[in-house]
Amino acid sequence: MSDLTDTTPGWLSQDELEVARSRMPILYVEAVPVRVDDSGEVTKIGLLLRIGPEGNVSRTLVSGRVLHHERVRDALLRHLEKDLGPMALPHVPASLQPFTVAEYFPTQGITPYHDPRQHAVSLAYIVPVTGDCRPRQDALDLVWFDPQEAVSPEVQTEMPGGHGFLVRQALAHVGQSAS
Amino acid sequence: MSDLTDTTPGWLSQDELEVARSRMPILYVEAVPVRVDDSGEVTKIGLLLRIGPEGNVSRTLVSGRVLHHERVRDALLRHLEKDLGPMALPHVPASLQPFTVAEYFPTQGITPYHDPRQHAVSLAYIVPVTGDCRPRQDALDLVWFDPQEAVSPEVQTEMPGGHGFLVRQALAHVGQSAS
Amino acid sequence: MSDLTDTTPGWLSQDELEVARSRMPILYVEAVPVRVDDSGEVTKIGLLLRIGPEGNVSRTLVSGRVLHHERVRDALLRHLEKDLGPMALPHVPASLQPFTVAEYFPTQGITPYHDPRQHAVSLAYIVPVTGDCRPRQDALDLVWFDPQEAVSPEVQTEMPGGHGFLVRQALAHVGQSAS
Amino acid sequence: MSDLTDTTPGWLSQDELEVARSRMPILYVEAVPVRVDDSGEVTKIGLLLRIGPEGNVSRTLVSGRVLHHERVRDALLRHLEKDLGPMALPHVPASLQPFTVAEYFPTQGITPYHDPRQHAVSLAYIVPVTGDCRPRQDALDLVWFDPQEAVSPEVQTEMPGGHGFLVRQALAHVGQSAS
């Protein structure tokens, strides 16, 4: 989970968010941005380059919380726009059935996912993007990778907390053996 | 959503829960209990008969919150055991991919689902049950319905808040036209 | 199943097709064309108006066989183009996981689907379409329906062989209660 | 695809099968047999040890054709019983939605799957098995592997034709990072 600086006004104060995070699972959405060809086959995967609070470089996916009284599909669209810019033209799926549910625990080893800040449960979607991506906010850049590159050891080690596995799950779901 | 009396110790106090409910979506799991034949085909759907706080009779599904630091599959198992008893022998699915995500809003009309108490987002699963079901807690009884009966106007009107639609979605997902 | 006049050159002769149909299940793809809004929500369903060999009017979905050495996604694209025209701009899904598998039997009552000509097994997908649809071949017209209209008794009776149920399944899958 | 010796009486003669295989895709079902714990989590994957016509050893999944006028779920059950014996107690899924559709082409490189004999399209399911497995027919043995072992290079090289990838897809679908 990566929205360290998500400070949507009018929602939880930082204090309230801390309390909530210590008491209940927080609902997230995650999107794996992809380029597809005319037949729908995935040709590229988009990964965001981020610099964490300690200056560490990491690659991540589009992700963020679902707010109170916000539909999942509106949260997806909002985070896609936040992370990819207003010209990305993402195709939010017609069905909310996610390709997987990623459970991020503050304790490592319970699931393949880990988030030291919180217990987050994330609905994960593959989202074809046809427009121009111009990351904003805390993301430095969006880089498009071939499926093989996205699962290479180099890139996978830059995706901590289980995000590397989530990319492998997404590729498995779209039938890309990436090898 | 139906677990009005869920009072798991050590979690949220009633006050804290009220605050959380007014600030963020609450993560739920829901299970549609079914009987299947050897080939996996659904032959019956199990609905819980409940008496609400004002004495109103309604039919509902197995449902409840996911707790902090609890896996989705453990929450499913816990609520199945809570609602169907310890001898129900539910088959929790190997994959967490739900057949749908049901979004219950306190405001009616945003989605087909409605919960006046809260904004709940529920991961919905079809769960074959092979053992003896003995409802506990606030459920009076579990009744097994033929697919056709479960979608009949009589039964559907006893399933408010979108639960009737969730049953129709479950039947559509398993390929039962129920007509 | 509706491609009564599918005569792709270089494939099976009509005689060979008859033999194959009497001996093994025939693999089909089906697409439910939809219009979606920016958040991916389905707003319209497209149904093809067809006139059968005996002059009977019916509404149907995009469907057709998968050919030898043809990928499922290429078959989907080919039938979408055949039935909706070259400017329809269909978004073939990134994942081949269908929302359902429809089994059409020559004998009625085994499944909700029926095709007197053959045993066909169809992978069914929801396909957002953003361009102009100009049906060709044997389809007279493509009509866009609101979800409620698509499941109305009037329209459902014009969709024999289980296609009406397939539309209801598609709407259930995208979370449209259509009532 | 592995049912080299499938000789179900009353279906296609070997000659007819050869003709069909050269003209149209053949519909298959495949099952990944798994052991699960009470919460549904996959703990083991079952692989069949087979000796091919040239004496080569390979590991494979439960798979086979869908016959004319046979339901997909009946084909699944039949092949599970054929490959795992009558006491295996497989839990055929309630929904026919497969976790993936594997397309085996006689030409390599079109998809991750390959079958030199034919163009086969396979609906793939994860099937929990709770009983005793006693392989029959041409399978020598069923061996249960930890998820990590199943994706190890040693085991993966014994699963040609894309079956190794199919196992990785199945594990990704059930949320097992296997690393």
Side-chain angles (χ1 to χ4, degrees), chain B residues 3 31 35 43 62-63 65 72 74-75 81 98 103 106 109 116 118 126 135 142 147 160 162-163 166-167 172 177:
Chain B
D3 58 343
R35 297 285 197 201
T43 56
V62 173
S63 84
R65 284 199 299 277
V72 165
D74 292 321
E81 191 160 303
E103 304 180 85
Q118 63 186 344
I126 291 155
L142 179 84
H163 278 117
L166 197 62
V167 165
S177 71

Side-chain angles (χ1 to χ4, degrees), chain D residues 146-156 164 167-168 171 177-179:
Chain D
D146 288 337
Q148 298 94 307
E149 294 173 304
V151 300
S152 69
E154 293 73 30
V155 174
Q156 287 278 307
V167 165
R168 300 206 307 275
L171 284 169
S177 70
S179 62

Side-chain angles (χ1 to χ4, degrees), chain D residues 95-111:
Chain D
S95 166
L96 288 185
Q97 185 182 42
F99 73 90
T100 202
V101 175
E103 303 179 85
Y104 295 83
F105 279 86
T107 309
Q108 279 190 318
I110 296 174
T111 69

Side-chain angles (χ1 to χ4, degrees), chain C residues 11-12 16 21 23-26 66-72 96-98 103 105 107 110 119 123, chain D residues 11-12 16 21 23-26 66-72 96-98 103 105 107 110 119 123:
Chain C
W11 201 59
L12 294 182
E16 288 173 319
R21 279 176 165 160
R23 299 297 176 81
M24 57 198 307
I26 311 295
V66 180
L67 301 184
H68 188 254
H69 221 273
E70 183 184 40
R71 293 186 309 166
V72 165
L96 288 184
Q97 185 182 43
E103 305 179 83
F105 279 85
T107 308
I110 296 175
H119 173 199
L123 308 178
Chain D
W11 201 59
L12 295 181
E16 290 173 317
R21 279 178 166 160
R23 300 295 177 82
M24 57 198 308
I26 310 294
V66 180
L67 302 183
H68 188 253
H69 221 273
E70 183 184 39
R71 294 186 308 166
V72 165
L96 288 185
Q97 185 182 42
E103 303 179 85
F105 279 86
T107 309
I110 296 174
H119 174 199
L123 308 177

